[in-house]
Each structure stands twice: as C-alpha cells, then as structure tokens.
C-alpha cells in the first residue's frame, strides 16, 4: 500500500506526464480490446443466446474438391444417427415471408428448421414450447410456428395469450406454439430471424416451387447444418467418422452421393454468415492493433526513461541512505503497473464506445435484417487486463533496471546528471523510437496498399452496369401461383413495367450478382468429352427472363438473348459466359453447341460477357443462365428495371409506380423490397472497405504516436544539451547549424526505423493479398511514399525542439550549470 500511495503522489506531481501516458495507453489497450471484442462476437462466439458454443461444429459437403455449406435432409438424418459422436444435428434454411396478424401485414425473415433445432442450440422458450419430433415428419402436416421475443413484444404487446393464436404466414394459417428469447437470432450470424417453422412446412413457407415431398430427396441439399459434439469427442474423431459415413453413402446411393464428402468445420470457419465476411478482416486488424499496442508501450517506456533520468538524484539518495536496489525496482514497477492499470481502465471505457464502430462501414441492407450483436464481455476484460499488466511490466522494467545501474558518485553530483547513465538512457530511448517508427511504417504501408486497392476497385469491370437499375423482390408463390401459372404473370408484369415512362429495359431473375446471397448450381457435361477424374463441373447459374441482360447492362458477345420463343415446348436453351465457352471450346464459336445440365441436353444460343458474381476480386469462373419459362422450378423471381436518368423522382416514387402496376395485375401481390442496384452491389467490396477504413484509423494513431516519440526524444535531447548549445552559440555557431545538428539526429532515427518498417511491411503484405484489387502487394509508389510521408512528419517533430534550441541565451545557459 505504501508503494501505491507513493506512486499516486508521484503522478499527481507530474499531471502532464500522467495524462499523456494514460491517454497513450488508453488508445493502445482500447484498440486491442475493441478488436478482441469483434473477434469474439463475430467469429469465436458469434451466436448470441446459444449455450456452450465451443461444442458446436458446422457440417458441410464437397464434390470433386468444391466445397458447399449445405446438406440434404436424408444425409443430415444419417449423420444424426451417429449418436456416439453427436449429441444432436439440426438443419435450417432462411427465407422471407409475409406475416399477418390482427389485420396487420409485414415482411419478416425467418427459418425453416428441423424439430430439434432449439434443443441442439440449448435455447429454452420464454413462453410455450418448441417443436415436437412428430411435427417434422409429414410434409405440410403441422403448421406450427415459434416466434422471437422481439416479435412477441412488438406485435402482441408481450401477451401470454399469443400461445395458441392463429396467424397468417404466406396466406397459410399457422398456430404460434412458443416464444424464444430475444437474444437468439437464429443460426446465421448477424441475420435477425423472427419466426421458425418445421422443415416439413417448406412448401408453405418458402414457396420455392418444389413439390411437397422434394425436401425429402437426398439430392436436395438446402440445409445449413450444425451439430453438437458428445462430451469428450474431438473434432478429428468427428471428421474421421464422417469420412467413413461418406464412403458408405456413396456406395449405397451412387446416383445422388457420387464423390460427395461430408466435412466438419468449426463455427469460425463457416463460409456463410458474418464470420465469412469479418474473419479475414479481423485477423488483419488484430495484427495491426497489437502493433499499435507495441508502439504505445515503446512510447510510454520512452517517457518513463526520461522521467527516471530526471529522478536519478532522488534514486541515488534513497540508495545512499540504505534502500535496497530490489526495493527500488519494486517501487518503480509499482508505478508503471499502476500507470498501466489507469490506462487500461480508460482503454476499456474507450472500447465500450468503439465496439459498435464496425457497423458504420456496413452497406445498407434493407433486403436483409442484418443485426450485429456486439458487447464487451468478461473474456475481453480478462484479456485486456492481462495486456495491461503485461504492458506495464514491459515498459516499466527497462527504466527501473536502468535507474539502479547509475553509479552513486555520479548521480549525487550537482544537477544529478551522470554521463554513463545519460548515454545508456539515450541508447534505450533511441532504440524505442526506431521500433515505433518501424511499426508505424509497416502499418501505414498496409493501409496505403488497401486504400489504393479499394480505389482501384472502382475501376474493376464487374461485367454489368448497375447505374440506373432498380431491383425489386417479389414472392408470388404465397399468392397461389404455381410453376404453370407464374410465367404468364411474369410475362404480363414485364409488359406493364416496360410501358412505364423512362423504362429502358426490364427483366426478372431468381438471383442478382455481387450481393450477400449465393446462387444455385448445376452439373455440366459436354457430350463426347470424357470427364477427367476429380474435374469440377458444378457451376453457378441464374434463372432469368427475356430482357434481363439489357436491364442489368450485361452485354452478349455472341448469339442472342432469351425471348418469347424459349418456352417449355421449344428446344431447351442456355446462355453461357465467356469463361465457360473458352474452357470447353477455346478459340471456337460455342453458339449452337450442345451441353448437358443435370443430365438434360441444352443448346447454347448466346455467350454473355464474363463478370464478377460474388466479389470483385474473384477469379474468373464458369457461369450460365437458364430461361425462366423452361426452368420453372424457380418460382419467385425479382424484377430488375433500367430507367433513364430522369425517369423517376426517386426510389420511393418509382416503387409506388411499380406497386400500382403489380396491383392492377394482381391486388394480392406486393413488393418484398426495393433497392437501387448500385447499393445492392456495395456488399461486394465490404470486406475491403472494412479492412482499409479500420486499418487506416489504426495507422493514423500509429503515425501520431511515432511522431510523439520522435518529438519527445528530440525535446529531451535538447533540454539535456542546453549548456552545450549555449557554448556553441557563444563560440559563433549559427542557428541554422544548430537546427541541422538536432534535426539530423532525429532523421537518422526515423530513417533507421523506416528501413526496418519496410522489411516488416514485406511480411505484412501476405495478410493483404486477399484485399487488393489490381494492386501489387509490393507497390513501389506505396513503399516509397509512406516512408517519405513519415520522414516529413519526423522532420517537423525534430524541427520544433531544434528551433527552441536556437532561442537559448548563451549567458543563461552557461550560468545554468
């Protein structure tokens, strides 16, 4: 306690030093606490309201080396039968739906889930119950619903009478049987779901145009699948068991499971949900925030060295009167750790404020109920305090050991300055400044590369033109339309919308590129061409209508687009992209060729320009399009409308016009969501924008701290050389000479640090490769420009104390000592 009281008195005596040190530590520890919080909430423990997430794993499939994140229901049930490995296995599928209660209708996002869904996640209802096993056996047999506590309180005022209440979901009567806690959002991280229905109600809820029994087919791989491991079962054992099961299923069901392999992945390895978006960004930010913390530690250590140099006389007197060196080291370490604790507490408060900062950079998603749950947990606090104590011990140890090495006779001289101690102090502080500059240069180069890559992304050709395009989601299946009746509705809708003023083109599609959602796939074969062992021929596809390509601004490089001739009675046709055409017919005309898609022959009638389908930095991939009149299993399509620049007074006005045309055609059909395509495709660059923006913030802090470090060293050096400068000026030295002498010393330190920083940056670029568009990780402009920028900052930091040195009065300086 005496050490603590003495430390507090010392800090109160030097409030300026204390404030600078605490604020510096708050920046470093706050940044690390914030990033650690993001990692825990978005990657490691990303499912709020779920018990023992460390026991959960994700099940995926692969075929011929290509990974998929879904399983079929029969495969899922076969895995669930392995009760010696898994406590339970559950599946889900997300979908929007029209929810109507008490004459109030709205669109909600929910999930179709297996009956044991809530049991696997350990979610207990706050009211009523969850699903029974028998409620998920017969297609269409049990229209029951579990809703979220959010929906219960918003729509039903938290009334217990909600259990047993009948509501309309997609114009079907469902009975609410339970309410689950508001903390639980579902199993897709950051997607906020408000209702859950049994898997066997798939046709009534999702309206995907499938037959009622199709969900039971082994080829229908639609379910995102989680499993909870039995106590004591390792992930490696689960992987081994699934490998054996995969071979058994392939032998038993060769038509549907040929080359299909089942895999186990940890939650943070999910290829869907927020983990997939944030995981690479947060790994980069963690490395950057640790770099900032190291800079802070070096900065505070430098301040403590300067403070210890001033206290040499005090320390020498205490040693002379009998204090042990161990006792003094303990006192000085107590001071540094107390300083670190004060900075750590301030950093935790800063983290509470910064934790929601990541959502600022997320694109608008009115078509998806995105909700990121972020909170500083006790895990984050524990790690932050360990970082705090570790930093305190590290930056306090060097000054403490340095202070007790000073010879007493030198330290007790008048003025308390010791030549040997001063030289050692200068060497230590110079090394710290070099380390700060090196880390700052590495971070700034990384931020510069990301910023240049993001700017370059604006010039990446996505293969479409999103300007002036409006997309609108429709759900016609809930209004009774079928595979046979929906095409006529869509045909009339296109005609009506095309007749609106300012409309240049209108089309329909079951999926639009460069958003958060993925699309379906189909297996491609080329007649007469043998398939090589392990060759991947499962390619992504889209179901589109006539008018889609001009509406989306996707040019055809050969052939024609779909038109009214491509009906179910006509020959089966397909449009492929350039990548697919060049892969199978290099240097030849692919138009008129025949390919098989899922075993059915189709004739290529056009070749579309290759584009970007999921992200702007994707490698070229094969892609193809099917006409909606011939691929009628895609029941619910979305509109894409290209308008002239002045066609509408705004999105709301044009949406009303669309709704009027839809209402005139069928009063029961409503638009699910409307969004400009330019905003929709912002999702494609989200991870790059996150990485560049957040790393830029950390790099700015690093630059400021490095400049402070250089300034502090030079200011201290000038204060220690006051007498020398006075003598030099008395002997005729000019102000310019003194400025250059001081500045040169600082620039040598900055140049040395910059050189080391460039080497560090070369290693950092490995983490950046996936975030760069058309920019080399070794971009010479960035590697030259950043050190020059930091050199200018260092020059300013050196010039200020150097200028002060020129104002020294020679007579005053000579008397001072």
């Amino acid at each position: 306690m005496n050490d603590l009281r003495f430390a507090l008195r010392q800090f109160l005596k030097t409030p300026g030093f204390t404030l600078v040190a605490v604020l510096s530590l708050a920046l470093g520890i706050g940044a690390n606490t914030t990033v650690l919080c993001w990692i825990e909430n978005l990657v490691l423990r990303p499912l709020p309201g779920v018990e023992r997430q460390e026991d959960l794993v994700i099940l995926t499939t692969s075929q011929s080396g290509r990974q998929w994140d879904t399983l079929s229901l029969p495969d899922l049930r076969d895995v669930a039968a392995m009760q010696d490995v898994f406590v339970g296995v559950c599946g889900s599928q997300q979908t929007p739906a029209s929810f109507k209660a008490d004459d109030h209708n709205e669109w909600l996002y929910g999930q179709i889930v297996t009956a044991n869904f809530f049991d696997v996640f350990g979610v207990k209802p706050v009211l009523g119950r969850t699903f029974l096993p028998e409620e998920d056996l017969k297609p269409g047999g049990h229209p029951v619903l579990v809703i979220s506590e959010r929906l219960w309180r918003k729509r039903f005022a938290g009334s217990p009478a909600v259990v047993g209440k009948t509501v309309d979901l997609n114009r079907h009567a469902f009975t609410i049987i339970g309410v689950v806690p508001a903390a639980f959002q579902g199993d897709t991280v950051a997607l906020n779901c408000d209702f859950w229905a049994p898997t066997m109600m798939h046709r009534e809820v999702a309206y995907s145009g499938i037959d009622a029994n199709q969900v039971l087919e082994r080829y229908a791989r639609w379910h995102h699948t989680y499993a909870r491991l039995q106590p004591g079962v390792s992930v490696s054992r689960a992987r081994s068991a699934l490998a054996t099961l995969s071979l058994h299923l392939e032998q038993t069901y060769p038509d549907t499971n040929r080359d299909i392999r089942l895999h186990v992945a940890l939650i943070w390895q999910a290829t869907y949900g927020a983990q997939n978006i944030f995981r690479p960004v947060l790994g980069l930010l963690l490395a950057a925030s640790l770099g900032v913390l190291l800079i802070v530690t070096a900065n505070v250590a430098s301040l403590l060295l300067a403070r210890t140099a001033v206290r040499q006389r005090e320390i020498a007197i205490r040693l002379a009167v009998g204090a042990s060196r161990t006792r003094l080291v303990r006192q000085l370490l107590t001071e540094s750790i107390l300083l670190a604790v004060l900075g750590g507490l301030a950093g935790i408060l800063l983290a509470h404020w910064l934790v929601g900062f990541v959502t600022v950079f997320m694109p608008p998603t009115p078509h998806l109920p995105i909700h990121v749950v972020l909170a500083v947990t006790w895990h984050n606090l524990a790690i932050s305090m360990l970082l705090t104590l570790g930093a305190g011990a590290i930056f306090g140890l060097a000054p403490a050991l340095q202070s007790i090495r000073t010879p007493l006779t030198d330290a007790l001289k008048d003025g308390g300055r010791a030549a040997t101690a001063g030289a050692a102090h200068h060497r230590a502080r110079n090394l710290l400044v070099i380390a700060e500059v090196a880390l700052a240069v590495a971070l700034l180069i990384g931020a510069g590369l990301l910023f240049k890559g993001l700017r370059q992304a604006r010039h990446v050709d996505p293969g479409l033109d999103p300007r002036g395009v409006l997309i609108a989601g429709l759900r016609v299946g809930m209004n009774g339309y079928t595979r046979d009746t929906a095409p006529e509705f869509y045909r009339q809708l296109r005609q009506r919308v095309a007749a609106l003023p300012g409309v240049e083109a209108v089309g329909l599609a079951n999926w639009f590129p460069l958003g958060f959602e993925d699309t379906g796939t189909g297996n491609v074969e080329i007649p007469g061409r043998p398939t090589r062992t392990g060759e991947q021929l499962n390619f992504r596809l889209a179901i589109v209508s006539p008018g889609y390509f001009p509406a989306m601004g996707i040019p055809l490089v050969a052939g024609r687009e779909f038109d009214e001739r491509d009906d179910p009675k006509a020959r089966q046709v397909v449009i492929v992209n350039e990548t697919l055409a060049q892969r199978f017919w290099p240097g030849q005309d692919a138009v008129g060729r025949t390919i098989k898609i899922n075993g059915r022959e189709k004739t290529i009638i056009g070749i579309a320009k290759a584009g970007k389908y999921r992200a702007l930095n994707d490698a070229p991939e094969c892609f193809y399009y099917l006409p909606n009149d011939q691929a009628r299993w895609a029941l619910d399509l979305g509109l894409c409308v290209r308008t002239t620049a002045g066609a509408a007074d705004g999105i709301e006005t044009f949406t009303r016009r669309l709704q009027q045309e839809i209402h005139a055609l069928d009063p029961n059909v409503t638009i699910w969501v409307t969004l400009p395509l330019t905003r929709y495709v912002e999702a494609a660059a989200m991870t790059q924008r996150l990485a560049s923006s957040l790393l830029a913030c950390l790099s700015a802090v690093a630059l400021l701290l490095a400049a402070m470090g250089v300034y502090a060293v030079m200011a201290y050096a000038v204060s220690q050389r006051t007498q020398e400068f006075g003598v030099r000026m008395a002997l005729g030295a000019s102000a310019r000479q003194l400025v250059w002498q001081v500045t040169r010393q600082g620039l040598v330190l900055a140049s040395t640090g910059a050189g080391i920083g460039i080497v560090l940056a070369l290693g950092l670029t490995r983490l950046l490769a996936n975030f760069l568009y058309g920019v080399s990780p070794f971009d010479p402009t960035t590697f030259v420009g950043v050190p020059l920028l930091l050199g200018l900052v260092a020059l300013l930091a050196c010039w200020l104390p150097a200028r002060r040195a020129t104002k020294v009065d020679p007579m005053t300086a000579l008397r001072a000592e």
Side-chain angles (χ1 to χ4, degrees), residues 735-758:
R736 180 178 297 179
Q737 289 173 322
L738 291 180
V739 168
W740 170 243
Q741 185 180 12
V742 175
T743 304
R744 182 180 60 185
Q745 181 184 352
L747 289 179
V748 168
L749 296 178
S751 300
T752 305
I756 297 173
I758 290 173

Side-chain angles (χ1 to χ4, degrees), residues 129-151:
R129 63 173 177 85
T130 56
F131 303 122
L132 301 175
E134 56 267 26
E135 290 174 332
D136 199 26
L137 296 177
K138 180 183 177 182
H142 292 85
V144 291
L145 210 62
V146 173
I147 64 173
S148 69
E149 186 178 356
R150 295 178 301 275
L151 182 63

Side-chain angles (χ1 to χ4, degrees), residues 251-270:
Q251 294 171 358
T252 309
Y253 309 103
D255 292 340
T256 59
N257 285 64
R258 188 180 307 278
D259 295 328
I260 296 292
R261 296 294 179 265
L262 300 171
H263 304 278
V264 175
L266 301 176
I267 292 180
W268 62 269
Q269 295 173 313

Side-chain angles (χ1 to χ4, degrees), residues 57-60 86 229 235 238-239 242 262-266 269:
V57 292
I58 292 173
L59 304 185
T60 62
F86 302 109
L229 296 172
V235 174
R239 286 173 177 158
L242 285 187
L262 300 171
H263 304 278
V264 175
L266 301 176
Q269 295 173 313

